[in-house]
Structures are given as C-alpha cells and as structure tokens.
Amino acid sequence: MNEIRITLHGNVVSEPVERQARNGSPYTTFRVATTPYRRTADGRFVDGDTSFYDVIAFNALAANAASALRKGQPVLIEGTLAIKTYVGNDGTPGKSPQIDAARIGHDLSWGRASFERVSRAAALGHDRTADPDVQATIRAMAEGESASSGLRPAHVDADGVVDDDYDPESDVLPAAHDGGDSALATGDPETDDYEVVERVSA
C-alpha cells in the first residue's frame, strides 16, 4: 500500500465532534492548523503560510480524543494522509487534506497535561465497572467501609481497631420486614462466632 505517513504538530481549531458509524462504533472529527516558521537572512523568525488538516479518529482513540481535546490546544498527530475531494455549497469542487489518525497527544512543549489510563471497553462505554456507582462501591470496599451504608461494624473504631469486649446483644436494631421482631447488629460474619437458630413461626 502506498500510504503517506505523516506526523504534524499544530493547534486544534474546531471542537472535536464524536459521532457513531452505521456499525455503532464511534468516530471523532476535528480540524488542526499548523504554521511553519523559518529564519530570515537577518536572523529573525517569521511565520509561513498556515495549513489546515481535517483529522478523523476511530474507536477507542476517537472516544478518548473527544473527551480530552479542546479547541485551541496544541497537539501532535501521527497517521496517514489522504487528499479528499468535496463539492462546496456553491457547487464548486475542492480538495482538502485529511489525516486518519493512529496516535494523538498533547504537545507538552506548550503546557501540561495529565494522563488517565482507560481500558478500550471503558472508552467505548462497554465496561460496566466504569459506572460511577460501581467505582464508588469499589473505593468503599478498598477503604474497609460498608458498600451499602458507608458505616463500619459497631465493634470497630475509626482506626480499624477491633473491640474484643464488644457485646453484640447490647446493640439491638429494629428489623425492617418482620413485624416487630428485632435483629442483632453483629460484627464480621466470616470471623465472629455464631449459632444457627431455626425460625419459629407463630
């Protein structure tokens, strides 16, 4: 294949727009402007003519680009160059260079950026663990909190120290569904001693 590989640096001059192809996969389009500069005979640097490129990205790169890029930001783009023909509103045919991007990144010579690793499934919106509620539950579990209430067991203090003298029968909570019976606020069911009692029906 006689593809033209190109790497350019420039500025994003249009807000990235994310769309969906017919097969449901995302693609993102935006425009980049790049202006070369050169040194004159007297040692000064002057700007050359500005060139504009249409950029298109697909799949996870498209989703990440739409989320991370904004108009005016400096970027580095690597991909394949093609010249696309079009017909203007006045019916006049024209040509425009387009880059099918393989890699996109911020140009850190002009500023700072932070990186957040995202799985391909999460970028495409297919990762159920990327749900904010699921993420909050995972963080709560990692911090040793109860996923449902955010409370720790009654016999464990804020520093995680277990009270060996704690009497669970002294902490009785009203049951939610069994008509006035009471439920004990126990500690850890995996490590605490317990007794299996058959329920007596009235």
Side-chain angles (χ1 to χ4, degrees):
M1 295 178 63
N2 296 322
E3 293 182 335
I4 302 174
R5 305 295 297 183
I6 184 173
T7 300
L8 66 83
H9 62 86
N11 292 314
V12 179
V13 294
S14 68
E15 289 293 343
V17 177
E18 182 178 359
R19 300 181 177 88
Q20 278 196 338
R22 292 179 181 177
N23 63 1
S25 62
Y27 68 96
T28 296
T29 57
F30 57 95
R31 285 175 64 81
V32 170
T34 179
T35 304
Y37 61 88
R38 59 184 177 83
R39 187 191 294 266
T40 62
D42 58 1
R44 295 183 300 110
F45 286 95
V46 296
D47 289 339
D49 295 331
T50 299
S51 299
F52 295 88
Y53 297 84
D54 296 324
V55 180
I56 186 168
F58 295 92
N59 300 319
L61 179 61
N64 291 332
S67 175
L69 298 183
R70 293 295 177 266
K71 182 179 178 180
Q73 293 179 343
V75 291
L76 294 166
I77 299 173
E78 188 269 325
T80 56
L81 176 66
I83 304 301
K84 301 294 184 180
T85 58
Y86 65 91
V87 178
N89 294 331
D90 58 355
T92 304
K95 295 182 178 182
S96 176
Q98 176 179 289
I99 299 175
D100 183 349
R103 294 172 183 83
I104 300 173
H106 286 103
D107 185 351
L108 299 184
S109 63
W110 295 99
R112 298 176 180 174
S114 60
F115 178 77
E116 178 185 359
R117 183 176 295 278
V118 178
S119 68
R120 182 176 297 272
L124 297 176
H126 304 317
D127 187 3
R128 290 178 292 180
T129 61
D131 183 275
D133 292 337
V134 175
Q135 291 291 331
T137 302
I138 293 173
R139 284 194 299 272
M141 292 171 60
E143 295 170 2
E145 299 176 357
S146 170
S148 59
S149 65
L151 301 176
R152 61 182 177 275
H155 67 301
V156 180
D157 66 13
D159 296 325
V161 178
V162 178
D163 181 8
D164 294 330
D165 297 330
Y166 174 73
D167 180 12
E169 295 185 1
S170 66
D171 193 358
V172 178
L173 301 176
H177 304 291
D178 52 4
D181 290 344
S182 47
L184 295 179
T186 59
D188 188 347
E190 294 185 359
T191 59
D192 291 355
D193 294 332
Y194 64 93
E195 178 182 358
V196 178
V197 179
E198 294 183 4
R199 184 179 181 86
V200 180
S201 58

